[in-house]
Amino acid sequence: MALLRKINQVLLFLLIVTLCGILYKKVHKGTVLRNETDDDSEPPEEMEEEIPVVICAAAGRMGATMAAINSIYSNTDANILFYVVGLRNTLSRIRKWIEHSKLREINFKIVEFNPIVLKGKIRPDSSRPELLQPLNFVRFYLPLLIHQHEKVIYLDDDVIVQGDIQELYDTTLALGHAAAFSGDCDLPSAQDTNRFVGLQNTYMGYLDYRKKTIKDLGISPSTCSFNPGVIVANMTEWKHQRITKQLEKWMQKNVEENLYSSSLGGGVATSPMLIVFHGKYSAINPLWHIRHLGWNPDTRYSEHFLQEAKLLHWNGRHKPWDFPSVHNDLWESWFVPDPAGIFKLNHRN
């Protein structure tokens, strides 16, 4: 009897364990299925990639920023996250412009740039004082402003995007390259335009080759320059190569030796980038950076050429919201009126 009782106890124990196991599986399975059903998000491999676009919003030209954002947002189905960078006293105005206009639907973050990081790094004697504005150097500090993204697009505010920004984001960066730019010799019809308006498209136009420090770089003055108004950047490589530190080093050297501020190009932000990225950058499709539209108000591109362009850049003194300027009709079609009524167009006939 005692043996039979023990056998029954063992069988009862095994039965209980089996029932517990079955019950656990049912409950666990129900939980997994409920989570999958309740969670509307797509699996990680199918989630739409977020494209971060960094653009500055300076107080006097905020309308340019909003027009650029409008053109980007309107011409893509991609998931864009705009990082709109401003100084402290402009942040509330940036938010008001976005939230009280047709841009209210965009996905954005407002980022404050503290100009204290530029202290002692900028000479005050540039031939173009507007290039000394603190936000002109935001592109040097991308990893300090953007943290969770591997790849980032930086755009100047005086651009209009006519293509799908996804194409620009898909630009391939070669192994070991921290950024991609548009070379100044790759622009269709660039040579004819340059001869006509006197544009600089070589290092000679930006660096002072009379200075020993520049000569010692060993860079030929006839080397083709590039334009950093449109950048596709790899943040991992940027940080690994300490790009920001390198750029700051050349800014400080310029303060001490005046290596480029008085040169022909007046490229206060361009010049250190030309040095740091020499021979170490990938190429952006030329149609993704048609520039010099603001260089000379008497020089125009063909309408057909401009229609084919993916991105238009009014670099130079003559901006499309001001007078005189060229092809401003293309820019104005994306203009978003200022809810505060501060920014106004100046197009005299």
Side-chain angles (χ1 to χ4, degrees):
M1 288 295 293
L3 179 60
L4 183 60
R5 191 181 299 112
K6 286 185 178 180
I7 292 174
N8 288 336
Q9 288 175 345
V10 171
L11 290 174
L12 180 61
F13 174 77
L14 291 174
L15 179 62
I16 293 172
V17 170
T18 303
L19 289 173
C20 288
I22 293 172
L23 182 61
Y24 172 80
K25 286 182 179 180
K26 284 186 176 181
V27 172
H28 181 65
K29 182 178 181 182
T31 302
V32 173
L33 291 174
R34 186 163 58 252
N35 287 343
E36 290 174 350
T37 303
D38 293 344
D39 187 2
D40 293 331
S41 62
E42 300 174 16
E45 64 271 16
E46 296 178 8
M47 285 183 67
E48 187 179 10
E49 187 172 13
E50 196 172 60
I51 298 178
V53 175
V54 178
I55 189 166
C56 296
R61 42 197 286 170
M62 206 171 286
T65 306
M66 302 306 164
I69 290 174
N70 186 27
S71 70
I72 296 166
Y73 182 72
S74 301
N75 286 307
T76 187
D77 291 325
N79 181 21
I80 311 297
L81 174 57
F82 292 98
Y83 285 85
V84 188
V85 186
L87 302 181
R88 177 171 294 181
N89 62 348
T90 65
L91 302 184
S92 60
R93 186 178 166 211
I94 293 171
R95 182 172 298 280
K96 180 179 178 181
W97 198 324
I98 294 174
E99 294 182 347
H100 292 80
S101 72
K102 64 187 297 183
L103 299 178
R104 64 179 65 89
E105 295 180 356
I106 70 170
N107 186 16
F108 72 99
K109 291 183 179 180
I110 296 176
V111 182
E112 178 185 353
F113 181 69
N114 190 343
I116 194 68
V117 298
L118 302 174
K119 187 175 181 180
K121 301 183 181 74
I122 303 176
R123 290 181 65 90
D125 60 351
S126 171
S127 59
R128 293 180 59 190
E130 73 273 14
L131 297 180
L132 298 178
Q133 296 301 317
L135 294 179
N136 201 38
F137 300 91
V138 162
R139 72 198 88 193
F140 289 14
Y141 297 94
L142 293 177
L144 301 183
L145 302 170
I146 311 299
H147 302 292
Q148 70 268 39
H149 301 286
E150 169 74 7
K151 198 175 186 182
V152 174
I153 293 174
Y154 168 88
L155 298 176
D156 276 355
D157 60 2
D158 51 357
V159 306
I160 288 296
V161 173
Q162 301 186 134
D164 187 342
I165 198 76
Q166 180 76 54
E167 295 178 24
L168 180 60
Y169 185 75
D170 290 340
T171 298
T172 300
L173 273 66
L175 187 66
H177 285 179
F181 305 97
S182 293
D184 283 331
C185 299
D186 67 4
L187 191 64
S189 73
Q191 297 306 317
D192 293 336
T193 304
N194 290 353
R195 280 197 297 269
F196 183 68
V197 300
L199 292 171
Q200 298 298 322
N201 66 347
T202 65
Y203 274 54
M204 175 65 83
Y206 294 90
L207 306 179
D208 190 345
Y209 275 84
R210 297 170 298 180
K211 303 295 174 67
K212 182 178 184 302
T213 301
I214 298 300
K215 289 180 181 178
D216 289 347
L217 288 171
I219 302 174
S220 169
S222 62
T223 300
C224 197
S225 54
F226 58 81
N227 187 299
V230 176
I231 307 173
V232 181
N234 181 308
M235 292 292 92
T236 300
E237 278 297 332
W238 192 292
K239 288 182 280 191
H240 176 70
Q241 298 179 31
R242 298 170 62 84
I243 297 295
T244 298
K245 289 294 183 185
Q246 292 188 58
L247 292 167
E248 288 185 324
K249 182 190 79 171
W250 283 102
M251 292 170 74
Q252 289 169 331
K253 278 183 174 291
N254 180 61
V255 170
E256 299 162 2
E257 304 178 43
N258 194 18
L259 301 176
Y260 52 77
S261 289
S262 301
S263 58
L264 293 173
V268 183
T270 300
S271 298
M273 297 196 84
L274 291 178
I275 295 172
V276 171
F277 285 100
H278 173 251
K280 295 185 294 184
Y281 68 91
S282 298
I284 289 175
N285 182 327
L287 288 178
W288 267 102
H289 196 178
I290 302 303
R291 48 208 179 274
H292 308 317
L293 275 70
W295 195 265
N296 188 319
D298 298 319
T299 304
R300 300 180 68 91
Y301 286 100
S302 74
E303 293 302 320
H304 174 72
F305 177 64
L306 293 178
Q307 288 172 6
E308 295 295 314
K310 304 288 189 178
L311 182 148
L312 304 174
H313 188 185
W314 279 263
N315 59 310
R317 297 177 187 270
H318 304 282
K319 303 304 183 186
W321 56 87
D322 214 339
F323 178 88
S325 59
V326 294
H327 303 298
N328 48 288
D329 55 320
L330 293 174
W331 181 88
E332 195 169 343
S333 65
W334 300 107
F335 176 61
V336 179
D338 183 0
I342 299 172
F343 185 96
K344 300 180 185 299
L345 301 181
N346 178 25
H347 288 163
R348 287 174 286 175
N349 293 326

